[in-house]
Amino acid sequence: MELKLYDTLTREKRVFRPLDPANVRMYVCGPTVYDFAHIGNARPVIVFDVLYRLLRHIYGAKQVTYVRNITDVDDKINARAAEQGISIRDLTESTYANFKADVAALGCLPPDVEPRATEHIGEMKTLIERLVASGHAYVAEEHVLFSVPSMPDYGKLSKRPLDEMIAGARVDVAPYKRHDQDFVLWKPSKEGEPAWPSPAGIATPGRPGWHIECSAMSWKHLGETFDIHGGGIDLVFPHHENEIAQSRCAFHTPVMANFWMHNGFLQVEGEKMSKSLGNFVTIRQVLDDWPGDVARLAMLATQYRQPINWTLKGLQEAEKALSGFFDVAANEAEARPAPGVLDALLDDLNTPRAIAEMHALKHAAGRKSLAGTLAFFGFRRDVLDEWRQAQAQAIAIPRDEIERLISARNAARAAKNWAESDRIRDELAAMGIQLTDSKDGTTWEVAR
Ligand code: AMP
Ligand code: ZN
């Protein structure tokens, strides 16, 4: 079995070989917990959940460690807590509980470790002190800054031209920076902001910058170098570029992670999602209308590196496809992808091809294999059934309308018009009505 993954750092699809097959290690940048997560945030969660399941399938469940952090110190968090008049801890706790419930509803397994930034301040300070001691960072006006010129191959991940990076960094220009590109590792806290005793001999209490968090938490839970680092494409610069700079310079290692994987961005009905355009969709809102499993399949219909267009049509198609799978799949099977599905996933997680393979299993001999594949992906029959039932009740189809359709179907069957009889059965199935034919006639029930 050969898994190939695209690595953003080397810009190539390569065979994945873990540093230690007995301990395969993956880190994914997690949410900043100040508000409900949006459907774009769900993309990395679902994509890396599929990769996690695949790695567990290949190397064994106990051989894989998946770390996804929680950013619980951030200016947006401070502002939101102040606005709501609640403590930062209360805000981050409740937001994180919502996030966990949302992604569980999307069928995602919890990662092995979900470290919080605020519980790793000690590790961050250790890294910062090391960087200062080795000349990769400096103290200026109670800030600690990473010195970008101290790292000759800074910029390898994003491959942005130097002038563009400088222009980008200028957004955050400050007089105490030696170079425009230098970025903050630690900053002083103002009155009322979360604060910890500062590193590097700084007297005023302060708080960490965002990038240093992930260097500290990946180090603590996965080591100086690990296998896979993931996140959305927007994180390539500056977040991941800066993580690489911090970790490599602190540990004197040639790489931080062997594979850098980035999911493409999600748009809603062809437009960039934004609050001002009124097309901002939270995971919660999607779950109000659809079972999480349908949203999951809709997300996987596009290969993870491509941009994805999130549409109502895509959700409707996913619902149809998933219902079609469960209508023919065996009731139970061991979670295991069918060979064709596995092949597709081994090729840089080609989920659209995997889904096409699942359609090809919709015949009698494929029942078990399809069930195993659905279970492998984390699709749950009961979640879909419950939703279908609620839908049928919600639309309150009149009884005589159902009886009329059944009579029409029986007439079609008597006339051996199988196409018409199937069409009527499908029409009823789409309403959540399931038929059972027996020698005594046809009965119906709300699908469960
Ligand atoms: P944030 O909380 O903004 O740091 O985002 C958490 C994760 O969601 C990161 O991996 C982002 O790259 C990812 N993300 C944010 N917006 C989108 C989007 N529209 N499409 C895909 N991924 C996104
Ligand atoms: Zn990160």
Side-chain angles (χ1 to χ4, degrees):
M1 235 187 302
E2 211 174 60
L3 169 62
K4 286 192 179 142
L5 296 173
Y6 183 85
D7 174 20
T8 310
L9 184 62
T10 54
R11 303 287 194 275
E12 60 180 358
K13 194 151 78 173
R14 273 190 287 125
V15 175
F16 174 73
R17 292 193 212 293
L19 290 161
D20 173 6
N23 184 18
V24 182
R25 288 161 285 165
M26 171 163 83
Y27 185 95
V28 175
C29 293
T32 304
V33 283
Y34 67 99
D35 206 346
F36 283 104
H38 59 66
I39 192 66
N41 299 136
R43 194 172 192 197
V45 180
I46 294 174
V47 162
F48 290 103
D49 178 67
V50 170
L51 179 57
Y52 180 43
R53 288 170 188 267
L54 180 63
L55 293 171
R56 285 160 63 105
H57 178 74
I58 301 173
Y59 297 99
K62 293 204 173 74
Q63 275 63 51
V64 184
T65 307
Y66 171 21
V67 179
R68 186 183 61 215
N69 73 291
I70 307 161
T71 297
D72 60 351
V73 50
D74 179 90
D75 289 344
K76 288 191 279 268
I77 295 175
N78 304 341
R80 184 61 58 91
E83 206 177 285
Q84 297 188 353
I86 57 174
S87 74
I88 284 171
R89 186 77 192 185
D90 283 350
L91 174 70
T92 59
E93 282 291 322
S94 63
T95 310
Y96 191 55
N98 288 333
F99 176 81
K100 273 173 86 145
D102 286 353
V103 300
L106 293 172
C108 299
L109 296 170
D112 298 287
V113 193
E114 295 176 83
R116 289 166 177 278
T118 51
E119 287 166 7
H120 295 76
I121 302 289
E123 287 81 1
M124 296 185 213
K125 284 161 65 172
T126 304
L127 285 184
I128 291 172
E129 304 227 329
R130 278 195 192 192
L131 291 168
V132 172
S134 58
H136 288 292
Y138 59 93
V139 176
E141 295 187 19
E142 306 196 303
H143 290 70
V144 185
L145 291 125
F146 185 91
S147 164
V148 168
S150 77
M151 186 191 191
D153 57 358
Y154 179 87
K156 256 174 92 177
L157 181 72
S158 56
K159 289 196 174 64
R160 285 162 58 129
L162 192 64
D163 53 349
E164 226 179 78
M165 286 199 282
I166 293 175
R170 279 215 181 100
V171 176
D172 189 20
V173 84
Y176 47 79
K177 281 190 185 179
R178 287 187 195 155
H179 298 272
D180 285 351
Q181 281 174 281
D182 295 352
F183 58 89
V184 169
L185 301 175
W186 189 266
K187 55 193 167 189
S189 294
K190 292 189 208 79
E191 190 65 35
E193 288 177 344
W196 291 266
S198 294
I202 300 169
T204 321
R207 62 191 200 280
W210 171 35
H211 316 303
I212 195 72
E213 276 181 21
C214 289
S215 286
M217 288 185 270
S218 60
W219 172 41
K220 167 87 184 281
H221 299 284
L222 297 177
E224 295 179 1
T225 303
F226 49 95
D227 297 299
I228 299 170
H229 194 314
I233 191 80
D234 58 319
L235 299 186
V236 170
F237 185 86
H239 186 52
H240 289 167
E241 197 75 79
N242 292 352
E243 278 188 37
I244 292 175
Q246 296 159 164
S247 295
R248 284 191 47 208
C249 292
F251 305 126
H252 309 289
T253 44
V255 291
M256 177 181 182
N258 277 335
F259 283 80
W260 287 84
M261 294 178 64
H262 295 98
N263 63 267
F265 243 46
L266 173 144
Q267 293 202 318
V268 171
E269 304 285 352
E271 282 191 280
K272 185 174 184 292
M273 181 166 55
S274 86
K275 288 205 165 120
S276 59
L277 285 174
N279 64 354
F280 188 89
V281 190
T282 62
I283 300 175
R284 236 352 112 87
Q285 287 167 326
V286 172
L287 293 172
D288 282 345
D289 295 339
W290 298 92
D293 298 56
V294 165
R296 182 176 178 82
L297 186 65
M299 198 67 90
L300 296 175
T302 304
Q303 202 265 353
Y304 76 94
R305 286 203 286 133
Q306 306 305 316
I308 183 169
N309 188 17
W310 187 258
T311 61
L312 179 60
K313 188 160 164 272
L315 284 158
Q316 287 164 340
E317 283 171 3
E319 196 275 318
K320 214 170 134 217
L322 197 59
S323 295
F325 293 152
F326 277 118
D327 282 345
V328 296
N331 264 328
E332 266 176 56
E334 190 195 340
R336 157 181 296 278
V341 171
L342 181 60
D343 255 10
L345 295 179
L346 290 173
D347 182 15
D348 197 28
L349 301 186
N350 191 336
T351 50
R353 207 175 97 207
I355 295 168
E357 292 285 340
M358 289 166 78
H359 281 288
L361 290 172
K362 285 187 344 195
H363 51 75
R367 290 184 68 219
K368 250 207 140 62
S369 204
L370 183 56
T373 303
L374 288 163
F376 164 80
F377 273 109
F379 291 116
R380 300 152 297 188
R381 184 190 287 274
D382 55 336
V383 171
L384 190 70
D385 282 353
E386 237 171 70
W387 180 82
R388 280 161 115 188
Q389 190 170 0
Q391 287 292 106
Q393 280 160 358
I395 52 175
I397 316 152
R399 226 161 220 286
D400 51 5
E401 170 66 2
I402 298 171
E403 304 293 351
R404 189 189 66 72
L405 283 165
I406 291 175
S407 302
R409 177 168 170 271
N410 284 339
R413 276 154 56 91
K416 297 199 168 15
N417 186 350
W418 308 120
E420 176 63 2
S421 93
D422 285 353
R423 190 197 63 73
I424 297 175
R425 192 200 52 220
D426 291 348
E427 187 183 336
L428 282 161
M431 297 174 184
I433 304 299
Q434 195 177 307
L435 303 183
T436 308
D437 295 316
S438 74
K439 62 177 169 36
D440 301 323
T442 303
T443 55
W444 65 271
E445 60 183 337
V446 174
R448 288 194 300 132

